[in-house]
Amino acid sequence: KVLPGPRQKFRAFAFAAMTQQVHPVAPCESSPNAKMKEKAAQIRKSFQRPKFWVMGFGWCLAACAGAANVIAFKSWNLYASHVTGSTSAMAFRLEGYHQGEYGSESLKEASLLVFSFLCGAYACGLLIDKNQVHFMGKAFYGLALILNSSLLVVAAFIPGRLLPVCLVAAACGLQNAMCTSHFGAIIRTTHLTGTVTDIGSTLGRISMIYLRKGCRCSKLNDVERAEVGVDARKLAVLFGLWSFYFMGGLFGVYMENIIPGPPQRALLLPATFTGSVGLFYMACRQILKDYIKKLERERFEADLKEAHDVLAHMGNRLQDLERNDQSVVELDEEMGHMIEALHEVE
């Protein structure tokens, strides 16, 4: 949606440049090297690391969730964001209830924790109807963050055991649903089972690629280098989520011992962060929208200029090819650069 004029102009220019020189280019396009470069470009396109401010925001939310979960366990001996464990507890408590080993209270706790998490995610779906981070749309990100903060504040002061931990679970469900997927990377900020699974599988893929090549980088071809690069960018996102969740939990434990009053008062710390970000977003939404549009426009113009330069250089190489058949190898490399630039702009 940014600069539709130059985009259409670029597509027309690229089409003309490729169709006018179809006979000289055809042999190079069918070469194995060109096919490998094109496949490598498609692999790189399959995943793009989120912008740093998006990653930073997701990591901070993971730290808040880690702190809230630890504080909930310290205060009420219940984990707020462990839906898998709560679901298993439902089955376990149900069997114990039928055998007369447990009362209905423990079964109600596990059921309400799962239901509260579900309600929080449901509320997020009502407020944010996109499955991708899109701050320039009409989604109520600020309202969702303020609602998350409000749930934590109420949980910090309300008496009892089951109700406050259910409020924390609802806040975790709301937060977890805010960041679902971004540029192909699944981002969950309140639990780490999937994150650690992805880290392990990604490390295994990278290790197998290097083992097949005798652990020597020089033997990697273009496709393998692209696969390693994509997996390395995924690891940066995933390991950051794990690290910030861990540091948030550690921070929550220490703050729970420092802050006077009941342990749940420490929930005010993550509540302060999410509430502040929500208020800032609602107050400065239009400024942020214009700033993000400017960044996207500058990035697109830079990609467009690079693609124009590559195509122009390609035209010169095609002219040289008519006079010198020895430049076929160099032309093949230029074709790879052109294909990669076209994928980036697209």
Side-chain angles (χ1 to χ4, degrees), residues 19-33:
T19 53
Q20 290 175 3
Q21 305 292 343
V22 63
H23 297 294
V25 175
C28 296
E29 288 181 341
S30 60
S31 66
N33 193 23

Side-chain angles (χ1 to χ4, degrees), residues 65 81-84 117 176 188-196 245:
S81 65
H82 291 192
V83 178
T84 303
F117 194 97
N176 198 53
R188 303 294 185 185
T189 59
T190 63
H191 53 272
L192 300 176
T193 304
T195 301
V196 175
Y245 190 95

Side-chain angles (χ1 to χ4, degrees), residues 103 118 266 308:
L118 177 65
H308 273 296

Side-chain angles (χ1 to χ4, degrees), residues 12 22 29 74 104 125 131 143 172 178 183 322:
V22 63
E29 288 181 341
K74 290 276 289 185
S104 60
N131 63 351
L143 184 59
C172 289
M178 284 187 61
F183 290 115
E322 296 177 355

Side-chain angles (χ1 to χ4, degrees), residues 278-290:
L279 290 173
F280 175 78
Y281 176 81
M282 294 183 68
C284 306
R285 179 177 177 272
Q286 188 60 41
I287 298 176
L288 289 173
K289 180 178 179 180
D290 295 339

Side-chain angles (χ1 to χ4, degrees), residues 11 69 113 146 202 208 212 240 263 285 289 299 346:
R11 287 178 175 173
N69 204 33
L113 284 174
I146 292 176
T202 303
M208 181 53 65
R212 286 200 301 261
R285 179 177 177 272
K289 180 178 179 180
R299 184 170 67 96
E346 185 64 27

